[in-house]
Amino acid sequence: MPLPTRTPDPTVATETSAHQPRTEHLVLLLVAGAIAVLHIATNNRYGFHRDELQFLSDARHLDWGFVSYPPFTPFIEHIGLSLFGLSLGGLRLFSVIAQALVVYFSGLMARDLGGGRLAQVTTALTVALSPLPLFEGTEFQYSSFDFLWWVLIAYFTIRLLRTGNPRWWLAIGAAAGVGLLTKYSIVFYIAGIFAGVVLTSARRYLLSKWFWAGIAVALLIFLPNFLWLVRHDFISYHFLQHIHERDVAQGRAQGFITGQVLLNANVFAAPVWIAGLIFFLRDRRFRMLGWMYLVPLALFLAAKGRFYYMSAAYPMLLAMGAAAGERWVRRMRRPLAMTVEIVFFAGIAAVGAYVCAMIIPFASSGPLRDFVLSHNGDLREEIGWDELVKTVASVRDSLPADQQSGAGVIVGNYGEQGAIEILGPAYHLSPPISMTNSAWLRGYPTPQPNTLIVLGFTEEQANRAFTGCRLAGHNGNSLGIKNEESLFHSQIFVCGAPRKGWAQYWKNDQRFG
């Protein structure tokens, strides 16, 4: 059954917003604003996540590319440092804004798919109270911005198909180009776009100059990073290959299908997004968006991707399902319709409240803190970095006076690297020496230190790489939280220079992590 829309003639490029009551926009802004306020109020509970520390480090060494990701996210973090300094809330504000925009544009998608206020509010609330969108607002992650680009591409595609105005390809191309500068996995979504064009009536755009102009815009935006990849022998591809093999070996790719139902969207709304997919595939005008979901889903499943790589595809499905559900409810008698609405929103709210308790750091102590830390491994990774840096400084201070001034700090992972580089200056620590990701490209210091404080290495690794190692301290955290650092990188050593010399050591020991 074709989906009715508010514009009788889809070939006429009209803008719906001019005919919408302002209150509908205000309601969407209210929902988006409420979720933003929630994040702003709770985002300064603990410390930086290890990934955020890597972004902060790379933000001080801007380039057109980095080993582990494209340049957009460090660039935004660089702006955050300039505006807010080392402020947790300030730096995470950009992720909060991105997720607020996700909620708002999700509601707009429901509007342009023919939904009224009920469908728009349903979509916005469901997206706002879904696990992955909620998480993306709690930390500064490249996935937060990647999520936004996916949603904007879907919104622009709906505008394209609804109005028939081919100039929307420029917006789609711009969002895809910035998406390529944010996270390379968006290529799976782009594959879905091309499949949707070829397999549906949208193939008529293959003859449009605006379609090819959109591709040109995307490639032009991506070009500087592509040239960086060429100059560095596509090192990011080797990194992603390593990370993928690690994830598969550790079982992180398991549960891909169950994650689609339980975690990528509010589980109570599963019938809504499933209906949305069905209605997309049944609707001749909007069928392209069905393929924009199915193709990346199949590609990620075949490639053994992690479940959350698909999370940003669900707002468009929820929008279509909400628009269809609104029409279904409107055909009911009012008492039954009210009952259905109350039950649905109560279910969404109940699941959302539980998800919030699992993800949002509402409290810095007490049962709520214990509950969220037991369920949210990413929050556990925010704890202990200040104490680590303080411990390293105390190890440095325990050295003989003639060794203290020339002692270097060599680290084994990017979290330690960021912690020493970002938090270390308060303790007058020298910049870290690191072979991990983009730090390896920056090389080792000149002159090279003869005394090294070594962390992130096992005793066997330290003795194999360096001379004269001795155990000098232990890393942990005062809360007793078990995370990667406290469990696997708790020992701190003092060692001499690399056994094979700095040049040979650097050549043979690049790390991906």
Side-chain angles (χ1 to χ4, degrees), residues 220-421:
L220 183 63
I221 293 173
F222 178 58
L223 181 60
N225 180 238
F226 177 76
L227 295 177
W228 183 93
L229 290 169
V230 171
R231 288 197 304 271
H232 292 85
D233 194 28
F234 291 92
I235 192 171
S236 296
Y237 169 78
H238 302 299
F239 167 85
L240 293 172
Q241 186 179 42
H242 167 82
I243 293 299
H244 178 67
E245 292 173 354
R246 180 205 66 184
D247 287 350
V248 172
Q250 295 179 355
R252 296 184 181 185
Q254 295 177 2
F256 181 84
I257 295 298
T258 56
Q260 307 307 311
V261 178
L262 299 179
L263 296 170
N264 280 344
N266 189 302
V267 68
F268 199 80
V272 178
W273 69 257
I274 292 172
L277 175 60
I278 294 171
F279 273 83
F280 270 137
L281 294 173
R282 289 178 60 187
D283 189 279
R284 184 177 180 183
R285 185 191 302 178
F286 295 109
R287 189 172 296 151
M288 176 179 168
L289 286 104
W291 290 109
M292 286 168 58
Y293 173 80
L294 290 175
V295 169
L297 179 74
L299 292 174
F300 280 128
L301 180 62
K304 297 183 179 180
R306 300 176 73 170
F307 75 90
Y308 62 84
Y309 293 172
M310 280 294 298
S311 60
Y314 286 86
M316 67 182 182
L317 301 184
L318 289 167
M320 176 60 106
E326 181 185 52
R327 295 196 304 276
W328 175 64
V329 169
R330 290 291 180 253
R331 290 195 293 267
M332 297 178 179
R333 294 184 177 180
R334 189 57 188 159
L336 179 58
M338 289 184 64
T339 301
V340 170
E341 291 174 20
I342 290 171
V343 170
F344 178 79
F345 284 113
I348 292 296
V351 172
Y354 182 74
V355 169
C356 283
M358 291 177 60
I359 294 176
I360 306 295
F362 286 109
S364 55
S365 62
L368 271 179
R369 185 208 70 175
D370 296 339
F371 181 80
V372 72
L373 288 178
S374 67
H375 288 82
N376 190 339
D378 284 282
L379 277 182
R380 294 195 295 271
E381 294 302 321
E382 296 179 8
I383 294 172
W385 296 110
D386 287 291
E387 292 170 274
L388 167 65
V389 175
K390 185 176 181 180
T391 301
V392 171
S394 68
V395 170
R396 187 268 320 274
D397 293 341
S398 70
L399 296 174
D402 61 328
Q403 295 183 13
Q404 287 187 26
S405 60
V409 181
I410 191 162
V411 300
N413 63 61
Y414 62 78
E416 296 160 349
Q417 171 205 327
I420 298 299
E421 182 173 354

Side-chain angles (χ1 to χ4, degrees), residues 96-107:
V96 174
I97 293 172
Q99 293 315 298
L101 290 172
V102 162
V103 171
Y104 178 70
F105 279 100
S106 297

